[in-house]
Amino acid sequence: MQDKVLKTLEFTKIIAHLQKHASSSLGKSLIEELTPKTDLDEVKHSQFETDQAATVYRLKGNVPLGGIFDIRSHIKRARIGGVLSPTELMETSSTLRAGRNLRRFLE
């Protein structure tokens, strides 16, 4: 997408506003990677997902996302046989626990 269009849309302000509402560093980094979609099918799919998320929020309230950390580097190190620090183990444990809580919430 052209820089002029993004500037006109004040896209950087939108991204900054979204990041204020992110509950994890992983969420914030994913928001930084967002770009406007130009494919109609992608837009429709994203709107459907947003509608589903809004319905879950309306019916059940806040989604329990606390305790989630970006553990991608921890997983990579563990896969190659590296040793994780106590902090990395705690972050991994917390993220797994948060995943179980989220699964229960959605079920």
Side-chain angles (χ1 to χ4, degrees), residues 5 8 16 19 29 32 36 51 55 57-58 67 75 93 106:
V5 173
T8 302
Q19 284 183 321
S29 68
E32 283 179 15
D51 183 56
T55 300
Y57 179 75
R58 183 175 47 82
I75 293 169
S93 172
L106 292 173

Side-chain angles (χ1 to χ4, degrees), residues 11-76:
F11 193 70
T12 55
K13 289 183 181 179
I14 294 168
I15 294 298
H17 184 72
L18 274 175
Q19 284 183 321
K20 290 178 186 175
H21 298 283
S23 60
S24 70
S25 61
L26 180 58
K28 288 179 183 182
S29 68
L30 290 173
I31 289 170
E32 283 179 15
E33 297 171 12
L34 284 176
T35 58
K37 296 183 187 309
T38 57
D39 179 65
L40 182 59
D41 289 333
E42 281 186 68
V43 171
K44 286 180 180 180
H45 182 72
S46 293
Q47 287 180 330
F48 176 74
E49 288 178 338
T50 300
D51 183 56
Q52 285 182 320
T55 300
V56 168
Y57 179 75
R58 183 175 47 82
L59 295 175
K60 294 189 162 202
N62 286 333
V63 178
L65 295 175
I68 296 176
F69 294 90
D70 183 358
I71 60 170
R72 290 177 289 189
S73 63
H74 309 356
I75 293 169
K76 185 177 178 180

Side-chain angles (χ1 to χ4, degrees), residues 93-105:
S93 172
S94 178
T95 301
L96 291 170
R97 189 176 314 106
R100 284 192 302 273
N101 290 340
L102 182 58
R103 184 187 64 205
R104 275 188 240 121
F105 174 84

